[in-house]
Amino acid sequence: MASAAAEGTGRPLQIEGLSVRYGEFPAVTAATVSLGAGRVLGLVGESGSGKSSLALAVSRLLPPAGRVVAGTALLGSVDLLTLEGEALRRARGELVAYIPQDASAALNPVQRVGRQVAEVFRVRHGLGKEQALAQAVSLLAKVGIRNPGVTARRYPHELSGGMRQRAMIAIALALRPALLVADEPTTALDVTVQAEILGLVKDLQADYGTTLMWITHDMGVVAEIADDIAVMYGGRLVEHGAAVDVFKEAVHPYTSALLSSFTSGRLAAPKQPFVAIEGSPPVDTIPPGCPFHPRCPRAFEPCATAVPDTRTVATGHRVSCHLTEPA
Amino acid sequence: MTRPATALPAPHAEGSPRFAAGPSGDATASPRAIVKLVKVTKRFGATRAVDDLSLSLLPGRTLGMVGESGCGKSTVARLVVGLERPTSGELQYEGRPYPRSDRGMRRVRRHIGMVFQDPYEALDPRCTLRQIVGEPLMAHGLWRDGGLERVRTLLDAVGLPKAALDSRPSHYSGGGRQRVGIARALALDPALVVCDEPTSALDVSIQAQIINLLLQLQAVRGLAYLFISHDLDVVRRVSDEVVVIYAGAIMESGPTTAITTEPKHPYTRALLSGVTGTMPDQRKLGSRIRLNEERPVPTGACPFASRCPEVHRACVKRPPLLAVGDRLVACHLVTGGGAGT
Ligand SMILES: Nc1ncnc2c1ncn2[C@@H]1O[C@H](COP(=O)(O)OP(=O)(O)OP(=O)(O)O)[C@@H](O)[C@H]1O
Ligand code: SF4
Ligand code: SF4
Ligand SMILES: [Mg+2]
């Protein structure tokens, strides 16, 4: 399955040693992620853990204050991080498209929504004006926009947040990129709408063979759509592997705490307390050593000072924790 | 009203005689509601944000309210805390209608706290926690009477260090700020706290902390909660009873376990089917119930008719909200024409 690259539009993604800084602050440190063509990665972590910075770096959309200080991100044979000028302009959309958490900032405020979707069909797929608009309207309907014909003639500010989000998703889907990066695009949506959009993106992803990176802090979303999972904490990748393996047997204490909080919450009878992770994620500074050590129930002698190496604990399952060191 | 003793001294013991007074007109057998909504409707122009809604908020109990965005949940919250007045119908505090005068309403509002969705917007970044949590005490002239000590106790009760007194909200992440918001909501020792999406803006690991904190505070202080969320899974964890709202009206209500294990109304069933699975090898959303496109519904029809996958001829007439066992349901399939329950 993972190697169906030739069939779909998707390409394999190999991120190697990626580090991103805002000034001196290390938002992402030495992140290595691999994702087969046409597979879906669930990238998980708490706010501030570096998920969005990693995604923005790969999508080449880091804000001016952000800098990639090391690493490569190969999509097929193209290093996304070194593209410039015309090649970069073409890569955006053809190679990689990014769906932000908040669509309001990403849509053009002075252009009708239908037109913005139609432009993609015109420019990217060479359709005529009428045909492009017809495709746009039908895609708007597919992403669950009611009255798509009417909505297409509206400006972004005339739509609700959920509607704007769906329009944004329609644009990204219309692009049919080799890699689609979705940054918590359903977090603010209602449960029935979220389920609808997850189902839709998953269907289209499967049809087109798009490689998909889906960022979320919700393990339920990962369980539902991801082939692989990558867990970030304090800017580092702490666990990475097939979703089935990690859900069955998480090795890193942070991942297992996240998962037991998630499942115990689901199983708890009404009004029964359930497992929580104590403390909060780091805000301004990242602790030395293992970034999770101030909250880790299993922290021991080396954790506060030495950053753990990343080890392969089973095929395709990598973990950064001193507990995995050979005795 | 029986409220367990608490470590927190009531700030103003004789503050509530007017409203804590004996039984009022309706002497029913069930425990007396702190706040009751009787056939409340709220219109904004042509929109009925709240439509003929009746419910009771009982001491020590949590009523969870779930529904999609724009369905009127926040309007209910604003009505309960007295920030909006109903177009028709009545709200009662301890059996008496909400006072008409602003002064009277202020006295009622003392007993009703509110926790907001976005802890980043709800707290003034320029103020210290002492000022933020102490503000309600000052506003009600209760500061001089041990206000500072009370703020310390409140910070402790929500799990913030006492040294936090002089820190500012920016020092905390979302979870810490929501703790500050909860401490503030409890400042006047309310009987009822309205929580409008209190965990929606928080990370999942922090959501668990805040939910556990709310449960613990309720157990210790006998609080009543109106807990509002668009997420049925979150509502399920904190509620004794759940009420499912669509277009400002109750579709189904009843005990949490009954509603979430055996939903009867098509809308409740759709909401539940949208809850994600827990294991990657047991996916759920493939079998989710798909709702129809929303379209204007003819007057007098079931408000859910345009979305309902089970709409049928009878639905041009609005189904009444009827008791079915221990719950209320508004759907012809469940209550109408001999169709089984
Ligand atoms: N002040 C107002 N003026 C006009 N219309 C309003 C006002 N407040 C709310 N509405 C309308 O009332 C309906 C219910 O709104 P409300 O904010 O209560 O919904 P909600 O369920 O809380 O939604 P969300 O989850 O998005 O906050 C909506 O149609 C909304 O547009
Ligand atoms: S390295 Fe140490 S502190 Fe970090 S997760 Fe492993 S045991 Fe816990
Ligand atoms: S009354 Fe009809 S339209 Fe309304 S919920 Fe029941 S089946 Fe659906
Ligand atoms: Mg609301």
Side-chain angles (χ1 to χ4, degrees), chain A residues 252-253 290 292-293 296 298-300 303 308 321-323:
Chain A
H252 194 281
C290 168
F292 188 53
H293 84 262
C296 181
R298 303 183 60 186
F300 61 116
C303 301
C321 170
H322 288 300
L323 290 170

Side-chain angles (χ1 to χ4, degrees), chain A residues 67-99:
Chain A
R67 256 179 331 129
V68 171
V69 293
T72 53
L74 291 178
L75 186 66
S77 54
V78 180
D79 185 355
L80 294 171
L81 303 185
T82 58
L83 294 174
E84 280 181 70
E86 176 62 15
L88 174 59
R89 203 190 57 73
R90 284 197 22 225
R92 291 202 182 115
E94 269 179 45
L95 291 183
V96 45
Y98 177 81
I99 310 177

Side-chain angles (χ1 to χ4, degrees), chain B residues 28-220:
Chain B
T28 41
S30 55
R32 196 173 53 178
I34 297 169
V35 167
K36 199 165 170 179
L37 277 69
V38 185
K39 296 182 151 302
V40 168
T41 293
K42 176 69 184 177
R43 286 208 193 84
F44 295 105
T47 312
R48 267 173 198 256
V50 177
D51 188 3
D52 201 29
L53 191 78
S54 297
L55 47 86
S56 294
L57 299 163
L58 305 176
R61 314 276 292 173
T62 305
L63 181 68
M65 180 175 283
V66 66
E68 64 188 6
S69 92
C71 75
K73 305 183 297 291
S74 295
T75 306
V76 174
R78 295 169 59 78
L79 285 161
V80 169
V81 299
L83 293 170
E84 300 273 8
R85 299 282 182 157
T87 311
S88 66
E90 184 176 271
L91 285 101
Q92 299 170 356
Y93 174 76
E94 303 241 310
R96 297 175 185 215
Y98 275 21
R100 269 178 234 285
S101 71
D102 286 348
R103 264 191 64 212
M105 202 51 231
R106 251 172 73 84
R107 280 196 303 267
V108 169
R109 215 177 279 162
R110 256 193 61 169
H111 303 278
I112 307 174
M114 173 118 188
V115 177
F116 298 90
Q117 169 168 4
D118 193 340
Y120 291 85
E121 276 177 13
L123 309 176
D124 187 336
R126 291 162 306 182
C127 295
T128 63
L129 300 204
R130 177 207 307 257
Q131 290 165 319
I132 290 169
V133 178
E135 191 276 334
L137 295 166
M138 302 222 183
H140 283 83
L142 301 168
W143 179 255
R144 276 187 317 155
D145 197 7
L148 184 60
E149 196 40 44
R150 182 158 174 82
V151 171
R152 281 207 184 94
T153 319
L154 283 164
L155 290 178
D156 186 53
V158 299
L160 290 169
K162 294 204 171 73
L165 265 184
D166 293 305
S167 61
R168 285 170 216 277
S170 59
H171 185 69
Y172 299 90
S173 57
R177 291 182 204 210
Q178 199 54 295
R179 287 175 196 270
V180 178
I182 293 170
R184 181 184 156 102
L186 295 178
L188 296 170
D189 200 25
L192 166 68
V193 177
V194 176
C195 306
D196 191 1
E197 306 264 8
T199 63
S200 304
L202 303 178
D203 279 312
V204 179
S205 79
I206 307 300
Q207 281 186 14
Q209 291 179 9
I210 296 298
I211 289 176
N212 286 344
L213 174 64
L214 289 171
L215 289 173
Q216 177 217 329
L217 289 168
Q218 180 172 53
V220 173

Side-chain angles (χ1 to χ4, degrees), chain A residues 9 31 41 61 66 91 96 129 131 152 206 221 228 249-250 254 303 315 324:
Chain A
T9 46
L41 174 75
L61 291 169
V96 45
K129 213 172 161 190
Q131 234 188 333
V221 170
D228 298 319
E249 203 168 349
Y254 175 62
C303 301
T315 315
T324 64

Side-chain angles (χ1 to χ4, degrees), chain A residues 46-47 226 248 266 271 277, chain B residues 203 205 209 240 276 281 283:
Chain A
E46 286 169 281
S47 44
K248 288 235 161 76
R266 280 297 176 81
K271 304 196 74 170
I277 307 178
Chain B
D203 279 312
S205 79
Q209 291 179 9
D240 297 284
T276 53
D281 52 1
R283 296 193 164 156

